[in-house]
């Protein structure tokens, strides 16, 4: 959570920092602030609200500066107001700090500092950091930051400026992502590449336990317990255009519309039709371990957890390996039964989700092989897993995940095909799956041509309803969960997803003439059972919006709205059936005039527990 950025260089720091904050805003956007080194002091401005409000506040009054830091916040400790916004400073305003993460022992540290007469003004955990630096500063900035960091428990990405060293920024990382971009006579440090790539493609990924001292033409990195190390500069290929909105009203809509292209990228070079198998080079060294696993545990959060559930169904039915799906937040605090033949797969779009990362580390502590399914290249999870598969969805900016979900499902389809072929599928069975996989991008393109108009009409009809129910069975049960989550996230309408047959054990009590029920009723192996569930809804005057198979004229007679998707093989249906649900959530939120890309209280990347 939270976006942090620091700049030191030949250019105007404010300009770089504000532009960078805009690109980081998806990480949190309840307040924002900036601190700049000026001739005699540190210029500081903080506002409750978005980066635009900060930009307007400083427009006329900002001094010229070449060194500064800035922050866009997602509140954890203390309400979003001006005082709790970052940067935070020490008693004499000589040090300013932006922080991403949570300092878990801040109460103890605050007490310790208050006893030494430090004065605190905010309710945040972060404010202890500048006071610690002030306490330990003895003329050597690096030493003061190092000592302060050794007192911190929890997670942090930090960028720090000091009046005593006006020509540099100090950057530190423990558990929260930080990248340093190297430009010509300038360096930019930020939570992620989005704020950096318009300046440079040369980057240094800071690792946990590292502290960097950055001047405009020089960077020095100190690694805990090791000392000074030579920075490793990497070349990134991400383009700015990839993260711009490209003419769409919202990133979410752009990302929904990109899905056919994305899936082509996900499968590119990974299908071998002759052998009816998938090729996943990233996990080549672990294929046998997976094939012989007695159990696969998939760990994820949010939308990635829904993709993992679909992965479970796919791997069990195609490869016959037992699979369990866990929330990262639960797994990390349980005592999971793991053995040498267990393989853990962590799924994360951002590769930074704190609970998923902690679960990964917990699994590794047990000596289990941990593989990753990630989107963000070079993210912490991608780096810490033993091996992994990138889903190639490109930067996802809309807070509600869409294209990454489809790319994750497709990745599970490839993995299941690979494992299935190594265990029990024939070449011909493998080829049938490959043919179906290859058809999906075009089928999605066709759907994107015809669905929006119909779904806009449905969205307009139901936008003011207060509750929705989503039902699906088999592979489409997790799709129902995802459809409900999308609606909740961006339209603030209460929605629940259920396995269709479970409806009679509770949710059926909610059904009346005002309850829209979205039912995924495609012609798969359990179609007839879902029809019975639809009858049960109709018998209670519920409104049925069905996602059904093309040409299912019978069903159309029974339901209020029928949204058709083409035929495919059962495991791949989620790739098609989720599209109308994404669009429905999008148009409802848009018609309600809500901020689709930045829904309240949410953040794209949840790097706190
Ligand atoms: C946040 C995002 C969700 C995402 C979840 C897991 O809650 O808003 O869209 O599904 O985190 O994120 P990850 O990056 O690990 O997939």
């Amino acid at each position: 959570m939270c976006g942090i950025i620091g700049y030191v260089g030949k250019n105007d720091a404010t300009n770089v920092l504000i532009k960078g904050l805009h690109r980081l805003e998806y990480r949190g956007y309840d307040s924002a602030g900036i601190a700049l080194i000026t001739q005699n002091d540190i210029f500081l401005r903080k506002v409750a609200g978005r980066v635009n409000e900060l930009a307007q506040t400083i427009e006329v009054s900002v001094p010229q500066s070449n060194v500064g830091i800035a922050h866009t916040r997602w509140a954890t400790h203390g309400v979003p107001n001006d005082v709790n916004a970052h940067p935070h400073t020490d008693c004499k305003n000589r040090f300013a700090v932006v922080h991403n993460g949570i300092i878990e022992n801040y109460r103890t540290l605050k007490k310790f500092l208050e006893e030494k007469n430090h004065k605190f003004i905010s309710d945040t955990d972060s404010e202890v950091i500048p006071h610690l630096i002030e306490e330990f500063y003895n003329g050597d900035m690096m030493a003061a930051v190092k000592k302060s960091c050794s007192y911190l428990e929890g997670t942090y990405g930090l960028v720090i400026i000091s009046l005593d060293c006006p020509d540099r920024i100090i950057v530190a990382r423990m558990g929260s992502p930080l990248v340093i971009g190297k430009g010509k006579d300038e360096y930019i440090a930020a939570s992620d590449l989005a704020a950096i790539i318009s300046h440079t493609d040369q980057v240094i990924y800071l690792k946990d336990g590292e502290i960097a001292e950055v001047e405009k033409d020089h960077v020095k990195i100190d690694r805990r317990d090791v000392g000074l190390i030579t920075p490793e500069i990497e070349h990134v290929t991400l383009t700015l255009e990839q993260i711009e909105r490209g003419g769409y009203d919202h990133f979410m809509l752009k990302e929904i519309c990109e899905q056919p292209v994305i899936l082509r990228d996900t499968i590119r070079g990974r299908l071998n039709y002759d052998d009816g198998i998938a090729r996943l080079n990233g996990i080549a060294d672990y294929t046998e371990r997976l094939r012989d696993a007695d159990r696969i545990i998939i760990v994820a959060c949010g939308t990635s957890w829904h993709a993992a559930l679909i992965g479970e169904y796919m791997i069990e039915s195609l490869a016959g390996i037992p699979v369990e799906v866990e929330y990262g937040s639960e797994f990390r605090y349980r005592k999971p039964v793991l053995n040498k033949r267990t393989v853990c797969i962590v799924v994360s779009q951002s590769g930074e989700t704190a609970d998923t990362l902690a679960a990964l580390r917990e699994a590794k502590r047990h000596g289990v092989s941990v593989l990753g399914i990630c989107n963000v290249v070079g993210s912490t999870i991608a780096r810490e897993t033993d091996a992994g598969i990138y889903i190639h969805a490109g930067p996802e900016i809309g807070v509600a995940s869409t294209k990454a979900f489809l790319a994750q499902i497709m990745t599970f389809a490839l993995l299941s095909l690979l494992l299935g072929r190594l265990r029990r599928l024939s070449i011909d069975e493998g080829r049938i799956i490959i043919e179906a996989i290859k058809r999906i991008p075009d089928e999605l393109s066709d759907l994107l041509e015809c669905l929006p108009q119909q779904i806009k009409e449905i969205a307009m009809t139901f936008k003011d309803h207060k509750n929705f129910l989503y039902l699906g069975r088999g592979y489409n049960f997790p799709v129902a969960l995802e459809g409900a989550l999308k609606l909740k996230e961006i339209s603030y309408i209460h929605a629940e997803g259920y396995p269709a047959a479970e409806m009679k054990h509770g949710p059926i009590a909610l059904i009346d003439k005002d309850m829209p029920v979205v039912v995924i009723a495609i012609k798969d192996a359990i179609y007839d059972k879902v029809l019975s569930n639809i009858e049960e809804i109709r018998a209670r005057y519920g409104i049925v919006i069905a996602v059904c198979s093309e040409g299912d004229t019978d069903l159309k007679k029974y339901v209020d709205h029928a949204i058709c998707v083409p035929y495919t093989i059962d495991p791949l249906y989620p790739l098609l059936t989720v599209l109308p649900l994404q669009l429905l959530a999008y148009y409802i939120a848009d018609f309600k005039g809500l901020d689709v890309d930045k829904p309240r209280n949410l953040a794209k990347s949840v790097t706190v527990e």
Side-chain angles (χ1 to χ4, degrees):
M1 311 305 226
C2 300
I4 63 174
I5 180 165
Y7 178 80
V8 51
K10 60 183 180 208
N11 288 315
D12 175 42
T14 309
N15 192 21
V16 177
L17 294 172
I18 295 290
K19 278 194 185 142
L21 278 192
H22 277 298
R23 297 200 193 287
L24 295 172
E25 217 177 355
Y26 72 91
R27 302 177 66 88
Y29 36 81
D30 57 40
S31 49
I34 189 167
L36 301 164
I37 296 277
T38 68
Q39 260 184 351
N40 306 315
D41 59 6
I42 291 181
F43 169 88
L44 183 68
R45 272 298 176 287
K46 315 198 280 185
V47 296
R50 303 213 165 159
V51 173
N52 260 340
E53 287 164 59
L54 174 69
Q56 280 163 12
T57 316
I58 58 174
E59 217 164 33
V60 281
S61 59
V62 71
Q64 155 63 29
S65 171
N66 302 100
V67 183
I69 55 177
H71 187 273
T72 178
R73 180 168 185 245
W74 185 87
T76 61
H77 293 60
V79 296
N81 60 22
D82 298 7
V83 177
N84 289 333
H86 298 220
H88 289 288
T89 55
D90 63 307
C91 299
K92 298 201 185 92
N93 288 338
R94 299 194 69 76
F95 307 98
V97 176
V98 286
H99 168 221
N100 172 29
I102 290 182
I103 305 305
E104 288 167 356
N105 61 338
Y106 83 99
R107 286 188 190 84
T108 318
L109 295 174
K110 199 168 171 174
K111 194 161 166 272
F112 159 77
L113 289 160
E114 277 171 340
E115 280 163 9
K116 293 181 176 290
N117 288 327
H118 289 263
K119 299 277 175 280
F120 285 82
I121 54 170
S122 80
D123 302 319
T124 66
D125 53 332
S126 313
E127 199 186 355
V128 296
I129 302 165
H131 288 280
L132 275 177
I133 297 171
E134 179 180 35
E135 182 62 30
F136 298 136
Y137 182 67
N138 220 343
D140 182 343
M141 193 52 198
M142 267 300 253
V145 174
K146 257 171 99 169
K147 185 158 181 195
S148 302
C149 287
S150 72
Y151 277 66
L152 302 178
E153 286 170 19
T155 55
Y156 54 84
L158 303 174
V159 193
I160 304 158
I161 51 172
S162 154
L163 256 193
D164 285 18
C165 317
D167 57 347
R168 70 196 66 170
I169 56 176
I170 308 279
V171 187
R173 171 186 167 148
M174 181 57 74
S176 300
L178 260 175
V179 194
I180 301 171
K182 177 186 188 301
K184 193 168 174 336
D185 290 330
E186 61 179 0
Y187 277 93
I188 304 142
S191 305
D192 66 51
L193 288 173
I196 290 178
I197 49 169
S198 59
H199 300 272
T200 177
D201 57 5
Q202 310 284 311
V203 302
I204 301 161
Y205 291 99
L206 210 66
K207 299 191 181 65
D208 280 350
E210 291 181 351
I211 302 176
E213 187 178 58
V214 189
E215 293 173 44
K216 75 176 175 14
D217 50 6
H218 183 71
V219 57
K220 196 165 92 182
I221 298 184
D222 181 280
R223 184 178 296 164
R224 185 181 282 183
D225 303 329
V226 175
L228 286 185
I229 57 156
T230 312
E232 267 175 56
I233 297 183
E234 298 185 31
H235 177 81
V236 288
T237 51
L238 203 64
T239 64
L240 193 55
E241 197 208 339
Q242 283 176 287
I243 57 167
E244 299 282 355
R245 226 172 31 217
Y248 288 90
D249 286 347
H250 297 102
F251 277 111
M252 181 176 177
L253 185 59
K254 173 179 179 248
E255 287 159 5
I256 290 173
C257 294
E258 277 174 359
Q259 292 178 133
V261 178
I262 295 301
L263 291 190
R264 285 190 194 101
D265 288 345
T266 309
I267 60 181
R268 179 164 297 121
R270 289 172 163 174
L271 292 170
N272 174 345
Y273 185 79
D274 289 345
D275 296 333
I277 198 167
R279 190 187 308 120
L280 294 168
N281 293 339
I283 55 163
D285 293 343
Y286 287 81
T287 312
E288 282 175 19
R289 205 169 292 196
L290 270 168
R291 182 197 62 197
D292 301 333
D294 63 357
R295 197 160 61 114
I296 294 176
I297 298 180
I298 313 178
V299 183
C301 299
T303 289
S304 299
W305 187 82
H306 295 157
L309 282 182
I310 296 169
E312 172 187 17
Y313 285 33
M314 285 177 174
I315 295 172
E316 291 201 340
S317 82
L318 298 179
I321 305 171
V323 179
E324 276 167 56
V325 177
E326 296 252 11
Y327 287 112
S329 52
E330 289 298 312
F331 182 85
R332 62 184 293 188
Y333 290 118
R334 292 200 314 108
K335 291 203 163 43
V337 181
L338 305 166
N339 64 43
K340 288 217 167 61
R341 288 187 57 208
T342 309
V343 177
C344 185
I345 301 177
V346 291
V347 188
S348 175
Q349 185 285 127
S350 61
E352 302 292 350
T353 301
D355 286 323
T356 310
L357 180 58
L360 179 172
R361 290 174 178 162
E362 179 63 16
K364 283 188 108 175
R365 265 193 289 279
H366 284 80
V368 169
S369 303
V370 185
L371 310 180
I373 294 183
C374 283
N375 188 32
V376 178
V377 177
S379 57
T380 311
I381 291 179
R383 284 161 174 263
E384 291 199 15
T385 39
D386 295 308
I389 313 167
Y390 281 121
I391 63 173
H392 298 315
E396 192 179 61
I397 307 295
V399 166
S401 181
T402 51
K403 62 176 182 173
F405 180 62
L406 260 77
Q408 288 165 342
I409 300 171
M410 187 57 103
T411 304
F412 273 117
L414 298 174
L415 179 64
S416 312
L417 168 64
L418 169 65
L419 297 177
R421 281 285 291 118
L422 295 177
R423 288 172 61 97
R424 59 187 197 182
L425 295 179
S426 66
I427 286 201
D428 285 344
E429 286 169 319
R431 286 179 178 165
I432 289 170
I433 296 172
I434 289 180
E435 280 163 3
I437 285 176
K438 284 185 169 166
R439 281 195 302 270
I440 293 283
D442 288 340
E443 288 164 344
L444 278 173
S445 290
D446 293 347
L447 282 176
L448 280 163
E449 289 287 310
C450 65
L451 283 186
Q453 192 46 42
Q454 182 193 12
I455 292 181
K456 276 185 198 173
E457 284 162 22
I458 299 174
M460 192 49 98
T461 310
F462 294 104
K463 74 180 174 48
D464 295 318
H465 281 248
K466 300 277 176 276
N467 299 289
F468 269 72
L469 202 55
Y470 285 73
L471 303 177
R473 298 184 77 150
Y475 287 104
N476 286 301
F477 156 52
V479 176
L481 295 179
E482 176 63 7
L485 178 66
K486 287 291 86 100
L487 190 69
K488 277 185 278 209
E489 282 180 316
I490 59 171
S491 74
Y492 318 141
I493 293 174
H494 169 242
E496 286 191 47
Y498 257 87
E502 276 293 303
M503 176 183 68
K504 53 187 172 295
H505 299 292
I508 199 164
L510 299 170
I511 292 176
D512 62 12
K513 63 179 183 19
D514 294 321
M515 175 63 102
V517 187
V518 179
V519 189
I520 304 154
I522 33 96
K523 288 213 163 172
D524 60 3
I526 38 180
Y527 173 68
D528 291 334
K529 310 276 178 205
V530 179
L531 283 194
S532 306
N533 300 137
I534 290 178
E535 292 292 0
E536 289 156 11
I537 300 164
R538 281 166 38 86
R540 284 152 187 89
Y541 306 106
I543 307 156
V544 179
I545 303 165
V547 177
C548 61
S549 299
E550 234 163 43
D552 189 350
T553 41
D554 286 348
L555 184 80
K556 285 185 182 168
K557 292 182 205 146
Y558 292 104
V559 299
D560 299 275
H561 301 272
I563 305 165
C564 298
V565 299
Y567 285 92
T568 185
I569 55 171
D570 285 5
L572 300 185
Y573 264 118
L575 292 161
L576 302 177
T577 54
V578 79
L579 177 65
L581 308 193
Q582 294 171 336
L583 288 169
L584 183 62
Y586 171 76
Y587 285 119
I588 287 181
D590 194 32
F591 289 149
K592 285 169 90 76
L594 297 169
D595 191 346
V596 173
D597 284 331
K598 298 194 184 77
R600 71 183 180 208
N601 303 340
L602 298 180
K604 181 77 190 154
S605 178
V606 182
T607 52
V608 295
E609 251 197 75

